[in-house]
Amino acid sequence: MSHQRKPIIAANWKMFKTVSEARETAVRLKALLDGGPALQSREVLVCPAFTALAAVHEVLSGSGIQVGGQNLHWEDEGAFTGEISAGMLLDCGCRYALLGHSERRQYFFETDETVSRKLRAVLSTPLIPILCVGESLSQRESGRAEEVIQGQLSGALAGVEASGLGGLVVAYEPVWAIGTGMTATPDIADQVHGIIREWLARRCSADMAAATRILYGGSVKPANAGELMSRENIDGALVGGASLDAESFSRIVEFK
Ligand code: 13P
């Protein structure tokens, strides 16, 4: 973590929690964090299921804790049954949108091309995009992690002017570390984040790369958050399982 970049700690609740469960967790989270020092120095956000977005936003509004969407469609509106647009996320109070999560790529056939369309849709709104990248275990074991991540970055950013990427946030989530308890070591994560930052410097500019927050995701817990965040290139966390419980997530937010 560098002092020039404000860390972002994001909760991804995936397909968990009914509206009342989400509301209850948000109430507890707000009680734990509101008025405390962490919200002064860190950006905190929660990405609930679409059904709970409006309720969670209502609970958290005014607290400094933001709300984000887990996915979106690239069109503004239209006959796309089951989809949600960037404008609809904004309408529910979202400030951020996750894009290209590995579970979307793996189970819902998202490709670099569709992730790129989603990124361009988000960039045309005030939403802040959090672009997820990461290699699978077999890709890492065959020595292709760097190539895979660079391919995902260049695919997602295809056709986007560097000047429009000022607000981009990247999340490195190695697929082998998601939900497995196998956190990437701080050394591995910091090294990959460094590669992502160098790639952004070549593609955009040194200033843009130095200002871009790169989050780590994959089995982040209260016990390992501080050590991960102590690394120069790790600017926050995207937390799945350990974010479902308000106490556990608040301890990650308050990492030392
Ligand atoms: P876990 O924290 O459960 O490993 O999930 C990480 C993740 O996918 C966050 O987007």
Side-chain angles (χ1 to χ4, degrees):
M1 192 176 89
S2 151
H3 290 297
Q4 65 181 132
R5 297 184 290 268
K6 191 171 184 182
I8 300 177
I9 310 296
N12 176 5
W13 286 352
K14 305 190 180 183
M15 198 174 74
F16 291 99
K17 296 187 189 293
T18 60
V19 175
S20 64
E21 288 164 350
R23 191 184 281 123
E24 199 176 299
T25 310
V27 166
R28 287 165 70 83
L29 191 61
K30 182 174 165 177
L32 288 162
L33 294 175
D34 213 8
L39 288 181
Q40 310 299 318
S41 57
R42 289 147 205 196
E43 280 174 45
V44 178
L45 76 134
V46 174
C47 303
F50 292 142
T51 47
L53 276 175
V56 169
H57 175 252
E58 191 188 349
V59 170
L60 296 177
S61 72
S63 70
I65 305 170
Q66 304 290 339
V67 174
Q70 297 177 14
N71 179 37
L72 72 150
H73 191 269
W74 54 83
E75 294 289 347
D76 293 341
E77 61 180 11
F80 301 105
T81 302
E83 295 293 322
I84 302 271
S85 70
M88 290 169 180
L89 293 181
L90 280 169
D91 191 40
C92 289
C94 287
R95 184 91 204 281
Y96 295 82
L98 302 182
L99 305 166
H101 191 282
S102 64
E103 288 152 13
R104 304 253 6 129
R105 296 179 193 256
Q106 190 177 348
Y107 304 125
F108 305 103
F109 314 110
E110 284 201 11
T111 62
D112 289 334
E113 205 224 310
T114 56
V115 174
S116 174
R117 287 191 191 196
K118 292 177 184 202
L119 177 63
R120 279 175 274 157
V122 169
L123 290 172
S124 70
T125 73
L127 285 169
I128 301 169
I130 302 181
L131 170 65
C132 303
V133 297
E135 81 286 1
S136 67
L137 186 59
S138 64
Q139 289 165 335
R140 171 156 287 272
E141 284 176 346
S142 59
R144 294 178 50 230
E146 189 170 328
E147 173 197 329
V148 167
I149 292 159
Q150 290 179 346
Q152 289 170 339
L153 289 168
S154 71
L157 271 55
V160 182
E161 296 276 338
S163 59
L165 287 165
L168 179 72
V169 177
V170 178
Y172 169 55
E173 297 206 310
V175 177
W176 46 270
I178 296 178
T180 59
M182 274 173 61
T183 320
T185 63
D187 283 345
I188 292 181
D190 193 51
Q191 186 223 2
V192 174
H193 286 217
I195 289 167
I196 293 170
R197 206 176 296 290
E198 281 164 21
W199 188 92
L200 291 171
R202 287 196 301 279
R203 168 66 168 74
C204 299
S205 69
D207 284 352
M208 181 275 185
T212 299
R213 271 86 56 90
I214 306 177
L215 319 184
Y216 168 77
S219 298
V220 176
K221 309 258 178 297
N224 60 24
E227 203 194 345
L228 285 159
M229 297 312 135
S230 71
R231 300 303 166 110
E232 170 70 19
N233 280 308
I234 304 182
D235 309 311
L238 181 51
V239 189
S243 75
L244 295 170
D245 175 76
E247 277 75 21
S248 153
F249 184 60
S250 72
R251 278 162 54 215
I252 296 174
V253 169
E254 291 169 331
F255 72 85
K256 301 242 175 13

